Amino acid sequence: MPPDVLAPPTSPAGLMWRGIRRHRARLAGCYALITSWLLCEALVPIVIGVTIDRAVATGEVAEIALWGGVLVVLFVVLSYSYRFGARLGVGALQLEIHQLRVEISQHVLGAEGARTGLLPGETLSLATSDAETIGEFLWHVGYTLAGLVGVVASAVVLFGIDLVLGLVVLVGVPLVLVAIQVVTPLIARDTSDQQAGIARATGIATDLVKGLRPLKGIGAEDVATSRYRGHSAVARDASIRTARSTGSMYGLTATLSGLFLALVAYLAGTRALDGDITIGELVAIVGLTQFLAEPIAGLGQTSAQAARSFASARRVVDFLATPPLATSGETELPDEHADLSLVAVSTGPLRELDLDTRAGELVGVVVDDPASGEALVRLVRGEVRPDDRSGAVTLGGHPVDDLTIDALRSRVVVSQHHVDLFEGTLRATVDPDGELDAAHFARVLDASAASDVVDLHPDGLEQPVTAGGTTLSGGQRQRLALARALATRAPLLVLAEPTSAVDAMTEQRIAEGIRALRHGAGSTLSTVVITSSPALLASADRVVLVSEGRVVATGTHHELSRRDDYRETVLR
């Protein structure tokens, strides 16, 4: 995380205030210049009025030159104040949006992960539309401050011209703003519903596109499309409600400010007809009245923006508060290799499970329920704890929960059954850091049978891989994921059903490849393969049979083949 990203706040207001604090230098300059710009806007009709009274009405050339020069200087300051103020403000806004995106991404993609329960598309919505809505608030704060200063300055000038007009402005503007706030809670509620609906629909759409091929394969695309259509309709209705409440805000602002400004103009006109104010003062009052329309409307829009920003901030705060997937401690492991041990572990479908690994050993694990294999994987990754605190999951004699994330991840690599591939080349997919030499890279490809995938494309290792590997078959994706896992040279490698999508001959090649690559003479590497593949199990030094969450037998593949329950699960 960048050094200027502070700890995640626990409230929407805290998140917004943090954004202002960490960009305070840029924003201070922005707010000062934007205030200067708006004050110059207010001074324009005043200077014009003075010019009329002191130069035009008198016909004095010196006064015309003087006040004409003042007007030129005023417009120069006005123009450059906005130009550089906007540059500072937009810079701070974009930087805050970027830092929020980084923070959201790191929360879910960091070593510990995040237990959010959100679909990928929903997380994407947080990092895009919600982050942008929060960032925009920084600009509106400056405009609000500038608008308030402009209104106060206008009231002071009007007090100097006429006491009644000054009082009307000083009392009328707050009343208009208070009346406008009636709609703000509706905008906050509707915006929250809108953002949640859009995020959900985006998540469903992302999953739909990602799984379109298998959906077509089973003829379920109509069901999936209908599901998306329903969520999209919810998002549409929420967007309409938000637009309606925001439109009500703008309409109420325009109506009340228009009536108020008409009242000011009427009072000024009657004072001029009575001779209480000069023509120049009348022009200044009318000009100030027109000027006030902008900050009053801006203040009303700020209320709507604040409601939207706080709704998005609530979603981001709730997301950043989600617990990590994997618990961690402060214990480091001195040894590169560390044996894994599960003693009387119960969690989910597992019941008092005992399992251990030894240096240099290839262990096969056969489960009668895929949920048991998934629970075992999550235990090894540190994502779940044993239900019964008497059970223990240790690595090198230390509880997994006590280890630092780096200590656990550097020694244990888990390749799950569901494959995630990222966009890039085949070479980058297998070796993203570019650390493997050519000889070892070739051995990894041969061991995983991924060399077949390389040979099928004219670009070889430089062939493109799309996000999710959608242009590859299931077996090709599985082989690339296996190659990526083998390339890590992890002291302990856990493979979950690594060959379920390949044919029997390829399974045999992979079994021989894993044995040759990781378990040659003198190797201290350990491998655990959760599988029902006879080829992989036959190459294992030891096979553990898990039935109904318990270890019921241990032995070699040949020895366990005498058991009926083993044969029913494995032999095919």
Side-chain angles (χ1 to χ4, degrees):
M1 183 176 293
D4 56 347
V5 177
L6 307 179
T10 58
S11 68
L15 186 71
M16 313 289 270
W17 176 240
R18 185 191 65 173
I20 294 175
R21 278 189 298 143
R22 64 182 174 187
H23 306 291
R24 54 186 175 274
R26 286 174 177 264
L27 292 176
C30 167
Y31 296 166
L33 289 171
I34 293 299
T35 301
S36 171
W37 161 69
L38 210 55
L39 281 176
C40 289
E41 290 271 15
L43 286 173
V44 168
I46 297 173
V47 172
I48 292 175
V50 172
T51 302
I52 291 173
D53 284 342
R54 296 190 179 182
V56 177
T58 62
E60 295 185 15
V61 176
E63 290 290 334
I64 291 176
L66 172 63
W67 290 104
V70 171
L71 200 58
V72 170
V73 171
L74 188 62
F75 271 100
V76 170
V77 175
L78 180 153
S79 175
Y80 281 94
S81 292
Y82 185 85
R83 176 181 178 182
F84 291 104
R87 181 176 296 178
L88 288 171
V90 172
L93 180 155
Q94 292 299 329
L95 186 57
E96 174 65 12
I97 292 173
H98 167 71
Q99 290 177 329
L100 283 171
R101 286 173 177 165
V102 169
E103 191 171 8
I104 291 168
S105 300
Q106 287 188 332
H107 180 67
V108 73
L109 297 177
E112 294 184 348
R115 202 180 301 275
T116 68
L118 299 180
L119 294 171
E122 293 179 278
T123 304
L124 178 63
S125 178
L126 284 172
T128 52
S129 62
D130 283 307
E132 289 171 2
T133 303
I134 294 169
E136 290 168 1
F137 181 74
L138 303 184
W139 170 262
H140 281 272
V141 168
Y143 194 87
T144 300
L145 295 174
L148 291 173
V149 171
V151 170
V152 171
S154 299
V156 170
V157 172
L158 290 174
F159 264 120
I161 297 174
D162 187 273
L163 180 62
V164 174
L165 290 175
L167 286 173
V168 168
V169 172
L170 197 62
V171 174
V173 171
L175 289 177
V176 170
L177 294 178
V178 169
I180 292 172
Q181 302 313 305
V182 174
V183 189
T184 301
L186 295 178
I187 296 178
R189 183 198 65 194
D190 293 340
T191 300
S192 181
D193 293 343
Q194 176 195 18
Q195 295 288 62
I198 290 174
R200 186 66 180 172
T202 303
I204 296 295
T206 302
D207 281 3
L208 176 61
V209 172
K210 185 177 179 180
L212 189 57
R213 290 177 63 183
L215 285 172
K216 284 183 173 294
I218 62 175
E221 63 268 31
D222 291 340
V223 175
T225 302
S226 176
R227 182 186 177 203
Y228 169 73
R229 187 180 292 113
H231 285 286
S232 181
V234 171
R236 177 203 62 202
D237 294 342
S239 298
I240 292 173
R241 290 196 302 272
T242 300
R244 184 183 295 119
S245 56
T246 303
S248 300
M249 165 74 78
Y250 291 158
L252 186 61
T253 300
T255 301
L256 294 179
S257 61
L259 292 173
F260 169 70
L261 297 176
L263 173 62
V264 174
Y266 170 76
L267 292 175
T270 58
R271 307 294 278 183
L273 290 175
D274 293 341
D276 295 331
I277 58 177
T278 65
I279 297 300
E281 290 173 332
L282 176 61
V283 171
I285 291 172
V286 173
L288 280 175
T289 302
Q290 293 177 329
F291 159 76
L292 284 172
E294 184 173 346
I296 291 176
L299 292 172
Q301 293 172 11
T302 297
S303 299
Q305 178 62 43
R308 289 193 293 268
S309 297
F310 271 81
S312 290
R314 166 54 62 192
R315 286 168 43 77
V316 172
V317 165
D318 291 344
F319 175 80
L320 295 177
T322 52
L325 273 176
T327 56
S328 61
E330 300 179 355
T331 302
E332 298 284 354
L333 290 176
D335 299 328
E336 179 65 22
H337 182 86
D339 292 331
L340 177 72
S341 175
L342 285 73
V343 179
V345 171
S346 296
T347 184
L350 301 181
R351 293 291 177 267
E352 298 184 355
L353 182 74
D354 294 318
L355 179 67
D356 59 6
T357 64
R358 302 159 195 160
E361 187 181 38
L362 174 58
V363 181
V365 178
V366 179
V367 295
D368 63 346
D369 180 4
S372 296
E374 178 66 21
L376 179 57
V377 166
R378 297 184 67 192
L379 274 170
V380 175
R381 288 175 59 89
E383 294 179 4
V384 295
R385 298 181 179 183
D387 297 336
D388 184 352
R389 299 308 297 171
S390 62
V393 182
T394 62
L395 186 67
H398 299 277
V400 169
D401 292 349
D402 294 344
L403 301 178
T404 65
I405 288 294
D406 289 340
L408 179 61
R409 297 289 187 259
S410 63
R411 290 163 177 80
V412 181
V413 169
V414 178
S415 181
Q416 295 179 284
H417 174 60
H418 297 289
V419 178
D420 287 319
L421 298 180
F422 303 101
E423 187 172 2
T425 63
L426 192 149
R427 182 189 300 275
T429 298
V430 177
D431 184 22
D433 296 327
E435 296 179 345
L436 299 183
D437 57 62
H440 190 71
F441 200 109
R443 292 181 63 199
V444 166
L445 293 179
D446 288 340
S448 60
S451 53
D452 294 347
V453 184
V454 177
D455 295 338
L456 284 173
H457 198 281
D459 293 335
L461 289 172
E462 304 309 318
Q463 64 178 282
V465 176
T466 59
T470 54
T471 57
L472 302 172
S473 69
Q476 289 173 326
R477 289 197 299 270
Q478 203 166 55
R479 279 177 276 183
L480 288 181
L482 176 58
R484 182 175 59 188
L486 293 174
T488 63
R489 304 177 183 173
L492 172 59
L493 179 61
V494 179
L495 304 172
E497 295 291 351
T499 60
S500 60
V502 301
D503 58 77
M505 291 184 62
T506 304
E507 273 188 325
Q508 185 62 46
R509 287 174 54 198
I510 290 174
E512 295 170 356
I514 293 175
R515 165 63 68 179
L517 184 68
R518 290 183 55 86
H519 300 282
S523 173
T524 60
L525 303 180
S526 300
T527 306
V528 175
V529 184
I530 304 171
T531 183
S532 59
S533 163
L536 288 174
L537 294 170
S539 68
D541 299 300
R542 178 164 53 99
V543 178
V544 177
L545 176 61
V546 178
S547 178
E548 296 182 356
R550 302 175 185 272
V551 175
V552 295
T554 301
T556 65
H557 172 65
H558 177 72
E559 293 168 346
L560 294 181
S561 295
R562 301 188 184 97
R563 296 176 59 98
D564 292 339
D565 52 357
Y566 185 80
R567 288 198 302 271
E568 289 175 3
T569 304
V570 172
L571 300 181
R572 46 188 175 172

